[in-house]
C-alpha cells in the first residue's frame, strides 16, 4: 500500500462526496415530508377545534334563545360536568355587569373587545397561564357567551411531532454520514486494489493482475477490462522483445560477417583481388540489410495504422490482376502455372500499394514453395465475394504448412524448418508483412490445407460494389 | 552538361552525389544549409535540383520546393529522403517534386532517374509512334512490329516496352520500371522484373538483329540500337 499515495481527507474522496450529497438530498426530502406531516397534524387539529367551537357556540346560543340565561347557565354546568373533554373545555357566561354567571373562565371586561371570530388568547386558568382558542358571542340581554378550548393538549401534540421530526432528522443525518464513510471505505478498497496493481506494473512487474475480477459488478468489469489490456500489453512487450532479439540477431550476423571479411582484406599484404572481393561482399550484404530494414519499416508502418487515412475504395480484381501480371513471366520461366479467377463484386477500402505488396508476397511464396512437392508449381489466385467479406485466396501445390507450425507463421523472422539441400531464399518477413497489412485493413489471414498444398485466404471487409 | 544544385546537409552523401555528377561531366554545386539552398535555388538558373527532404535549421526540403514552385520555377527537382513511408513520398511529390528517391540509394539509380527527369523536361509534343532501329511501337493502336513483322504483346508487356522506348538510349532501373509500369512502390523479393524483361526480350529481340534490349550490370536496362546510352 505504501507505493500508493492515500487519499487524504474525506472531501477528496469521490465516493464520500457522492454518498454525502445523496444522503443530504434524502435528508432534504425527508424534511419536506416531515413538514407536510407536521402541518397536516397541527393545522388540521386547529381547524377541528375551531369547528367544534363554532358548533358549541351555536348550540348554546340556541339554548339561550329557548330558555334564556338560566337555561344557558344550566347547560354550561352540564357540559362541564359530563366528563367529556372537561380538562380542556372552557365556557363563560358573563352578565351585562361583567360578572361570571356560569363557566370555568374568570370573567373579564376585555372579553367584550373580541369580535365574533375565533382567536387565540392568553388567559389564566386555575392560577396557571394558558393559551386558549376562544369564540365570544354577545347575547340579546347584553350578556356575553365565551366558548373556548385550552390549547395545552394541542401544544403537547405539536411538541411531540416536533421532537419526533427532530429525532428522525438527527438519526437520518447520522446514517448519512456513517453510510458515506462505509460507502467510501468500500469503494476505496476496490480502487486501492486497482491502484496497487497499477503501481506494481509501473514498477516493472508486468505480470501483475487486479484481483477480484471474477465478481460481477462495475468494478469487476473495469478490472477485467484493465486485466485484458494488460494481457495485450504483455503480449506486445513480449513481441517487441522477440523482435528486437531477432532483429539484433539478423542484423548482427551479416554485419559481423562483413566486418570479418573487411578486416581480413585490410591486413598488410593482402592481395588486391581479395580486397575487391571483400568490398563486393560488403556491398551485397549491406544491400541485403537495407532490404531487411525496408521490410521491417513497412511492417512497422502498417502496424502503426498511419496509412489508414489514405484508404480508398479498391477492386481486389485490379490488385490481383496487377500482381499476376507481375509474376506471370516468372511462373512461365519456372514452368509453373499461375491462374487467376476474378470476381468484380470484391471491393474493399484500402491502400492499393500495400495490398498489392501483400498479394505479391503470397504469390511469391506460393511460386517458391509450390514446386517443392515434386512437379511444377501450380498456383491459383482467386478473388471472391462472400457476403460481407472480400477474399483473395492464393493456393499452391507445395508441401503446405503443418498445422502445429501455423500459429507461429507470421512472426517476424520466423522461417519454416529448412530443406538443407535446396534452401528457400528469403528473410522470414513476408508473411509477417502480409499479416500486418491485412490487420491494418481490418481483415484476417487464414491458413488451411489444400491437400496437398497451402491455401492462404486474405479476408477483408467488403464494400458495396 | 547540366548545372545541378545539390541541397544536402550530410557531407558524405553530398560529396558522393556531386562527384558522381562531375564524373558524368556535369556541374554540381553543393549547399549544406536550407537557408542558403533556398536562396541559391531561387536566385540562380539551374537545370536540375537534388533536394534532401530533411535539412537542419528552419528551412526543410519541402519548404524550398514549395517556394520554388510558388515562384513559378519549373526546374526538375528530385527529392532525396531517408523517410521511406509512402505518404512521405506522396507529400514530396505533392509539394512539386518530380521524383522521390529513398536513402540509401545507388548512384546509378539516382543517375538513371535524373536522366529520365531531364528527358521529360525537354520532351516535345505528344508522340503517337516510337521507333528504334526497325522496332516500331504505335501508342494509339497499341501495336508493335519489328522489321515489318507484327509482335503480339500482353497489355502489361506493351506498357513495359512503351516505357523502354520512351526512354530509349537511357538506362532505366528495376524500381523505375516497377514504379512506372505497375505503379508499385514496394520491392518484390524475387527478380520479377528481370524475368519480365527476358520474356519481352524473347518476343522483341529473338530472331532479329541487332539486339535492342540490353542489361546494364548492377543498374538496370537499356533499350538502344547501339547498345550504348546516349551521352548528354
Amino acid at each position: 500500500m505504501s507505493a500508493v499515495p492515500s487519499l487524504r481527507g474525506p472531501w477528496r474522496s469521490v465516493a464520500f462526496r457522492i454518498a454525502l450529497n445523496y444522503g443530504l438530498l434524502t435528508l432534504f426530502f425527508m424534511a419536506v415530508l416531515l413538514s407536510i406531516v407536521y402541518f397536516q397534524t397541527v393545522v388540521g387539529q386547529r381547524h377541528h377545534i375551531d369547528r367544534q367551537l363554532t358548533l358549541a357556540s351555536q348550540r348554546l346560543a340556541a339554548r339561550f334563545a329557548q330558555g334564556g340565561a338560566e337555561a344557558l347557565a344550566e347547560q354550561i354546568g352540564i357540559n362541564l360536568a359530563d366528563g367529556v373533554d372537561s380538562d380542556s373545555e372552557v365556557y363563560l357566561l358573563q352578565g351585562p355587569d361583567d360578572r361570571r354567571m356560569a363557566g370555568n373562565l374568570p370573567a373579564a371586561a376585555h372579553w367584550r373587545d373580541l369580535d365574533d371570530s375565533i382567536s387565540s388568547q392568553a388567559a389564566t386558568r386555575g392560577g396557571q397561564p394558558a393559551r386558549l382558542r376562544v369564540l365570544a358571542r354577545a347575547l340579546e340581554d347584553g350578556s356575553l357567551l365565551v366558548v373556548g378550548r385550552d390549547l395545552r393538549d394541542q401544544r403537547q401534540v405539536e411538541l411531540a411531532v416536533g421532537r419526533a421530526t427532530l429525532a428522525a432528522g438527527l438519526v437520518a443525518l447520522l446514517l448519512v454520514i456513517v453510510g458515506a464513510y462505509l460507502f467510501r471505505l468500500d469503494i476505496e478498497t476496490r480502487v486501492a486494489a486497482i491502484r496497487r496493481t497499477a503501481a506494481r506494473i509501473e514498477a516493472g512487474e508486468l505480470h501483475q493482475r487486479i484481483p477480484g475480477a471474477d465478481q460481477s459488478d462495475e468494478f469487476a468489469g473495469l478490472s477485467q477490462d484493465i486485466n485484458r489490456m494488460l494481457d495485450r500489453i504483455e503480449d506486445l512487450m513480449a513481441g517487441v522483445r522477440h523482435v528486437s532479439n531477432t532483429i539484433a540477431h539478423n542484423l548482427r550476423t551479416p554485419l559481423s560477417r562483413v566486418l570479418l571479411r573487411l578486416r581480413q582484406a585490410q591486413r598488410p599484404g593482402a592481395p588486391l583481388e581479395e580486397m575487391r572481393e571483400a568490398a563486393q561482399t560488403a556491398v551485397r550484404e549491406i544491400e541485403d540489410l537495407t532490404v531487411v530494414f525496408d521490410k521491417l519499416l513497412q511492417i512497422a508502418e502498417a502496424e502503426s495504422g498511419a496509412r489508414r487515412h489514405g484508404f480508398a475504395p479498391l477492386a481486389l480484381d485490379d490488385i490481383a490482376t496487377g500482381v499476376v501480371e507481375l509474376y506471370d513471366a516468372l511462373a512461365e520461366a519456372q514452368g509453373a502455372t499461375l491462374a487467376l479467377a476474378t470476381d468484380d463484386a470484391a471491393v474493399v477500402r484500402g491502400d492499393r500499394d500495400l495490398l498489392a505488396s501483400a498479394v505479391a508476397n503470397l504469390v511469391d511464396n506460393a511460386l517458391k514453395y509450390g514446386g517443392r512437392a515434386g512437379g511444377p508449381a501450380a498456383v491459383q489466385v482467386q478473388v471472391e465475394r462472400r457476403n460481407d467479406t472480400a477474399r483473395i485466396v492464393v493456393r499452391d501445390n507445395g508441401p503446405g504448412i503443418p498445422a502445429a507450425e501455423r500459429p507461429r507463421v507470421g512472426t517476424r523472422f520466423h522461417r519454416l524448418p529448412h530443406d538443407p539441400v535446396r534452401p528457400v531464399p528469403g528473410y522470414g518477413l513476408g508473411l509477417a508483412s502480409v499479416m500486418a497489412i491485412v490487420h491494418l485493413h481490418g481483415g484476417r489471414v487464414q491458413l488451411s490445407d489444400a491437400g496437398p498444398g497451402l491455401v492462404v485466404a486474405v479476408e477483408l471487409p467488403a464494400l458495396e460494389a | 552538361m547540366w548545372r545541378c544544385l545539390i541541397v544536402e546537409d550530410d557531407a558524405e552523401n553530398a560529396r558522393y552525389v556531386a562527384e558522381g555528377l562531375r564524373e558524368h561531366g556535369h556541374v554540381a554545386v553543393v549547399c549544406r544549409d536550407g537557408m542558403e539552398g533556398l536562396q541559391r535555388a531561387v536566385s540562380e538558373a539551374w537545370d536540375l535540383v537534388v533536394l534532401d527532404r530533411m535539412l537542419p535549421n528552419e528551412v526543410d526540403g519541402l519548404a524550398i520546393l514549395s517556394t520554388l514552385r510558388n515562384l513559378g520555377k519549373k526546374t526538375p527537382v528530385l527529392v532525396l529522403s531517408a523517410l521511406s513511408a509512402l505518404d512521405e513520398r506522396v507529400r514530396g511529390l505533392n509539394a512539386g517534386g518530380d521524383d522521390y528517391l529513398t536513402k540509401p540509394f545507388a548512384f546509378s539509380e539516382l543517375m538513371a532517374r535524373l536522366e529520365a527527369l531531364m528527358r521529360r523536361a525537354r520532351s516535345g509534343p505528344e508522340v503517337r509512334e516510337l521507333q528504334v532501329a526497325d522496332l516500331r511501337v504505335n501508342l494509339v493502336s497499341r501495336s508493335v512490329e519489328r522489321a515489318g513483322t507484327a509482335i503480339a504483346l500482353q497489355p502489361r508487356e506493351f506498357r513495359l516496352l512503351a516505357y523502354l522506348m520512351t526512354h530509349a538510349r537511357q538506362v532505366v532501373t528495376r524500381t523505375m520500371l516497377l514504379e512506372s509500369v505497375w505503379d508499385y512502390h514496394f520491392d518484390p523479393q524475387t527478380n520479377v522484373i528481370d524475368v519480365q524483361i527476358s520474356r519481352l526480350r524473347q518476343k522483341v529481340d529473338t530472331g532479329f538483329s541487332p539486339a535492342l534490349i540490353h542489361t546494364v550490370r548492377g543498374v538496370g536496362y537499356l533499350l538502344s540500337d547501339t547498345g550504348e546510352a546516349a551521352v548528354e
Side-chain angles (χ1 to χ4, degrees), chain B residues 165-185:
Chain B
M165 292 285 278
T166 347
H167 297 83
R169 290 174 208 92
Q170 194 185 333
V171 179
V172 292
T173 66
R174 290 172 184 80
T175 36
M176 284 165 78
L177 290 174
L178 203 60
E179 282 172 18
S180 352
V181 179
W182 274 269
D183 192 19
Y184 288 164
H185 298 276

Side-chain angles (χ1 to χ4, degrees), chain A residues 10 12-20 180 183-185 187-188:
Chain A
R12 302 182 65 176
S13 157
V14 174
F16 184 79
R17 285 203 304 267
I18 291 176
L20 197 67
F183 186 61
R184 181 200 160 177
L185 224 59
I187 300 265
E188 211 176 64

Side-chain angles (χ1 to χ4, degrees), chain A residues 290-291 294-295 297-298 301 306-307 309 319 321-323 325-330 332-333 351-353 356-357 360-361 364 368 425-427 429-430, chain B residues 82 84-88 102-104 106 154-157 159 178 182-193 195-199 203 217-218:
Chain A
T290 312
V291 172
D294 281 349
K295 294 201 179 301
L297 281 176
Q298 194 199 29
E301 200 193 345
R307 287 279 276 269
H309 60 80
I319 288 168
T321 310
V323 173
E325 282 177 0
L326 182 63
Y327 277 89
D328 57 1
L330 180 71
E332 241 177 80
D351 183 304
R352 181 181 164 277
D353 213 52
S357 151
N361 253 307
D364 202 274
K368 249 189 244 168
Y427 306 98
L429 291 171
Chain B
S84 65
L86 195 80
D87 50 342
E88 289 299 335
T102 311
K103 295 181 193 173
Q154 290 168 19
R156 200 69 71 159
E157 286 174 326
R159 284 173 65 176
L178 203 60
W182 274 269
D183 192 19
Y184 288 164
H185 298 276
F186 59 89
D187 174 30
Q189 290 185 19
T190 319
N191 52 343
V192 276
I193 293 293
V195 192
Q196 288 281 355
I197 291 284
S198 59
R199 184 172 69 176
K203 296 187 177 175
R217 261 196 62 140

Side-chain angles (χ1 to χ4, degrees), chain A residues 46 49-50 53 87-92 104-106 110-111 114 118-125 128-135 146-152:
Chain A
R46 197 161 287 174
I49 290 172
D50 288 0
L53 287 181
D87 270 359
S88 52
E89 275 176 330
V90 171
Y91 294 102
L92 171 66
N104 54 359
L105 185 70
H110 66 82
W111 295 126
L114 297 175
I118 301 172
S119 60
S120 297
Q121 298 291 329
T124 318
R125 279 192 74 219
Q128 300 279 326
R131 272 205 81 73
L132 302 179
R133 195 83 181 138
V134 290
L135 173 60
V146 179
V147 181
R149 175 70 71 99
D150 193 324
L151 288 179
R152 197 174 50 208

Side-chain angles (χ1 to χ4, degrees), chain B residues 81-96:
Chain B
S81 173
L83 303 173
S84 65
L86 195 80
D87 50 342
E88 289 299 335
R89 173 190 299 272
V90 170
R91 280 174 67 188
L93 297 183
N94 281 350

Side-chain angles (χ1 to χ4, degrees), chain A residues 425-460:
Chain A
Y427 306 98
L429 291 171
L431 265 178
S433 148
V434 171
M435 288 192 169
I437 290 170
V438 173
H439 286 160
L440 175 74
H441 287 79
R444 56 184 189 158
V445 178
Q446 285 200 308
L447 305 178
S448 55
D449 200 25
L454 178 67
V455 182
V456 186
V458 169
E459 303 194 331
L460 301 167

